[in-house]
Structure formats: structure tokens, C-alpha cells
Amino acid sequence: MAYGKSTERMRKVGPYGVETLPQVLVDVPAAPAGCRDSLVESARLHWHRADGGDPAALAEEFLAAHGLDLHDLARPAPHGPRVCGAALYLSAAAGAHLTGAPTTTPEPAPTLPDLAVVVYHHGPTRRAPADATTPWWLGPWTESWTPRQHAAAVDAVRAAIGRGDVYQTNLVGHAAARYTGDPLPALRRLGALPGARYGGVLTGDDWAIGCASPETLIEVRDGTLTTRPIKGTRPATAAGRTELLDSAKERAEHIMIVDLERNDLARIARTGTVTVEDLFAVRRWCDLWQAESTVRATAADGLGLADLLRATCPGGSVTGAPKRAALHQIADLEPVGRGASMGALGWIAPDHVDLGLTIRTAAADGENLHTWAGGGITWDSDAHAEVAEAAAKTAPIRATLAGR
């Protein structure tokens, strides 16, 4: 299969994985638009949970070793003239690992790393030709659970809420489909969907991730921390917009997550600086309306990348509240791991961090494409409505991957 990767010899770099010779950048989400055609890979780190250690600390150390010192995000350090920035991907399981939550659920795409950091500099690039030897074909989707099993999991969350174990838990389902041909054009189509603020592709050795996420997990610019949780979905019709705005259930679910995100930022912010803007603003993504809020704070002095990742990963809008209790329930109820979804993917620059939450995301391994979708469950959730909502979220993704 073709991933546009270099065929040149790869060199080991101590404990940090591999450093590669120049290769083509494939549209990393949140990378500067003016740089994308001139970015060349200079160093790469892959980490799996089985490797042990702290992925947040490894990412910060690796970036510092390659010219991006992110030990104090409030006061960016000077950087080398050849370093433009880096792609960073952290899986949902790696985020759960950072919190001490269970991560034993089997992964459907185990070739994907749990952490990938790729450093880039400017230079001449060469475009890898698409693999046109085999026509693109995408087979039928096989779900990781049936609608009945999904509905039963919703009822289990409601029972846990009734016992006082959690206030809300986000449930996510997975599906896989066999393919032949080159998956990169399909993943690029996904990244180009309307409203995909974090649209793009990240590739590795026999894996690729395509993202069409509209959701900001964490952004740091000029010492300001910003997260934009999305919670609440309806069809993008006039009636759907009115229904979303009038839904007491969706508003309560949304505000719970906004409170959780406020608490996450408060752990790494200057005291008293956390604010909420645009509460429950309704915006469009493809054929869906979504409710989004903006939470901001001023970064605490000495806040490094590792502490930023520990405080914000995994994102509250795809876990639940309280976060650790929700993660334990997720591990008990979801039949397979979340893979590339519900994690972090974006761009690390010398002067800012911009990571999207990997909703509306697909991944390719050597044989299958994988998608994930779900939603937040509260006491007022209806099991059949939650199953339908997850299907509505994944429908445009699957159609785009198939080329329809």
C-alpha cells in the first residue's frame, strides 16, 4: 500500500524511535497553510503503551531534542532557523493512560502508535505518486456492536447515573471495512469536508489517520489557553436547529462538559482566569448542527507541553463527568478500543500549540479502514435516539471514504 512515505533508509535515534531522510508532508491538521508545500520531515517518534513510560514527557523531551523547547508555553523559547514545527498525535488510550484509567480494551487497529511526533523543517519536497495499480474499493462496514448492544450500553450508563457513579459518559462504537487500493485519497477527501478545522492526514509505516474534526481540544497562543467543546447534535435543517436550541437534555449535557473543561484548564491556568464565551453556540458541520462553547484561561507560569497534555487528554467531551469514573465505565462497556478517534491530533509550533480532538476521524491499516462515532449519555438519554445519533455522525464519513 502507498502512504507517501520515504523509501530511503531509516536511522535509529536513541530512545526516540527513528529519524528519517526528507519525505513529503501529507496535510497535517492545523499545519500552517503557507508551509504545507515546503515541509520536509526531519525526525519522528513513535510510542506504544507496551513500551512503558510517560508519553507526555517523551513528547516534550523529543521535541526539545529537535529544536522545539516547550517547557514554558507562556514564554516560548527561541528555536532553530530550520525548524518549522511538528505534528503531534496522541491516542485516546494514551490519554487514559495519563490519567491512570484502564487501557486493556483490545485495539481494532494495533499497528497505529499511541503517540506520534513528527518534526518538520522547510526544504524541497517531492510528491509521492498515488498508487493507481489497484482501483479503490471499500467493502461493507462491520460494526463492533449491534444496535441492540449499543442501546444496552446506553441503559447501563443510565443505571450508573441513577446510582450516582457518574453524571455523564460518552459511548463510542467502531466499525471496520476491508479495502483495496491506496487509502490516502479517501482520507484526504475526509480531511477536506466542510467545517473540518482540523482537516488533514498523518501517515506512518503501514498506517494513516484522516481527520475532519471541527473541535479544538486545546490551543495555546500568546499565553492564552483555549478549548472549544462540542456537545449536542441534530440534522442541519431549520427544524433540527430549533430542536437543538430548545433541547433541555442537550443543553444540560453540554453544560456538564463545559464545567469539566473549566476544571481541566483551572489545573494549568493562573488562578481566576478561566472564562466561558459563546456558551452553546450552534454551528454547522457537513449535514449536522452542533453546539459549541469556548473556554479560555491564562496559562500558568512554567506550563510545559507534558503538563498541558496530562490536564487535557483525553478530552472531556468524549469521556464524561467525572472524567476518571467515566473512563472506567467506557473500559467496561465498549467492546473495542477507540484507536485513532477521541484523541489529539494537530500542530506544535515554536510559538503556539493547536490540537484538535479526533472526532470525525478514520484510520487505515494494511487491510481495513476504521471509523468511530458515539455520543454523550445522560439520565434523559433515549437509547434508540443515541444509536441513531451515532449513525448520523458516521454517515458522511463513510460516504466520503467510499467516494460518494
Side-chain angles (χ1 to χ4, degrees):
M1 65 187 299
Y3 281 141
K5 64 176 186 272
S6 172
T7 58
E8 302 287 345
R9 183 178 177 84
M10 303 174 82
R11 305 188 297 275
K12 291 289 184 181
V13 182
Y16 295 123
V18 296
E19 180 171 313
T20 64
L21 295 173
Q23 64 184 76
V24 173
L25 171 69
V26 183
D27 296 333
V28 174
C35 297
R36 291 192 180 197
D37 290 337
S38 63
L39 289 175
V40 179
E41 179 179 326
S42 57
R44 176 182 287 255
L45 162 68
H46 286 179
W47 176 87
H48 295 79
R49 280 169 288 148
D51 298 334
D54 181 340
L58 284 172
E60 185 174 314
E61 293 165 8
F62 178 77
L63 287 166
H66 292 87
L68 287 166
D69 187 346
L70 302 170
H71 298 308
D72 188 350
L73 295 172
R75 297 176 177 83
H79 62 284
R82 285 175 55 80
V83 177
C84 177
L88 185 143
Y89 159 71
L90 189 77
S91 73
H97 173 84
L98 290 173
T99 72
T103 58
T104 56
T105 307
E107 290 293 343
T111 60
L112 270 68
D114 287 298
L115 169 71
V117 184
V118 187
V119 179
Y120 298 97
H121 64 272
H122 291 137
T125 64
R126 50 186 174 79
R127 179 65 62 182
D131 180 5
T133 58
T134 305
W136 176 244
W137 171 83
L138 185 62
W141 293 95
T142 301
E143 310 288 341
S144 62
W145 55 12
T146 65
R148 178 175 292 183
Q149 291 169 325
H150 187 172
V154 172
D155 290 337
V157 171
R158 293 186 68 253
I161 295 170
R163 295 191 301 269
D165 297 342
V166 292
Y167 302 114
Q168 177 182 166
T169 296
N170 196 85
L171 289 178
V172 172
H174 158 267
R178 304 266 306 179
Y179 72 85
T180 58
D182 184 354
L184 279 184
L187 294 174
R188 288 196 191 103
R189 288 196 300 271
L190 177 64
L193 284 175
R197 184 170 190 270
Y198 297 91
V201 177
L202 183 67
T203 68
D205 187 10
D206 286 336
W207 61 266
I209 299 170
C211 186
S213 175
E215 183 166 351
T216 299
L217 172 65
I218 188 65
E219 182 179 7
V220 186
R221 291 182 187 271
D222 300 321
T224 298
L225 309 170
T226 303
T227 183
R228 298 181 181 90
I230 291 174
K231 203 49 117 171
T233 305
R234 287 292 188 278
T237 62
R241 188 176 190 276
T242 299
E243 184 180 340
L244 179 56
L245 285 168
D246 291 345
S247 172
K249 179 263 181 186
E250 296 285 13
R251 189 172 292 270
E253 177 184 341
H254 186 98
I255 290 174
M256 278 187 225
I257 297 307
V258 169
D259 283 342
L260 175 60
E261 299 289 9
R262 289 173 63 245
N263 291 336
D264 283 352
L265 290 194
R267 295 167 53 195
I268 53 175
R270 291 184 187 175
T271 303
T273 64
V274 180
T275 60
V276 178
E277 305 170 9
D278 298 327
L279 181 66
F280 207 77
V282 174
R283 298 187 171 100
R284 184 167 178 163
W285 178 87
C286 286
D287 294 329
L288 300 172
W289 292 116
Q290 300 179 133
E292 176 185 89
S293 293
T294 300
V295 185
R296 298 192 198 277
T298 301
D301 292 340
L303 173 65
L305 177 66
D307 287 333
L308 180 77
L309 295 175
R310 293 188 194 105
T312 58
C313 296
S317 66
V318 293
T319 53
K323 186 182 283 189
R324 287 197 63 180
L327 285 168
H328 279 266
Q329 194 166 56
I330 287 165
D332 288 341
L333 293 175
E334 293 181 3
V336 299
R338 295 181 168 194
S341 74
M342 317 301 151
L345 177 60
W347 187 253
I348 307 289
D351 60 351
H352 74 272
V353 174
D354 193 5
L355 301 178
L357 186 68
T358 53
I359 60 173
R360 320 295 192 261
T361 295
D365 57 24
E367 297 180 345
N368 295 294
L369 283 186
H370 302 265
T371 63
W372 294 260
I377 312 304
T378 65
W379 176 251
D380 292 329
S381 290
D382 174 81
H384 297 294
E386 295 295 339
V387 173
E389 179 179 323
K393 288 175 179 176
T394 197
I397 295 171
R398 296 184 188 183
T400 300
L401 293 171
R404 298 195 296 271

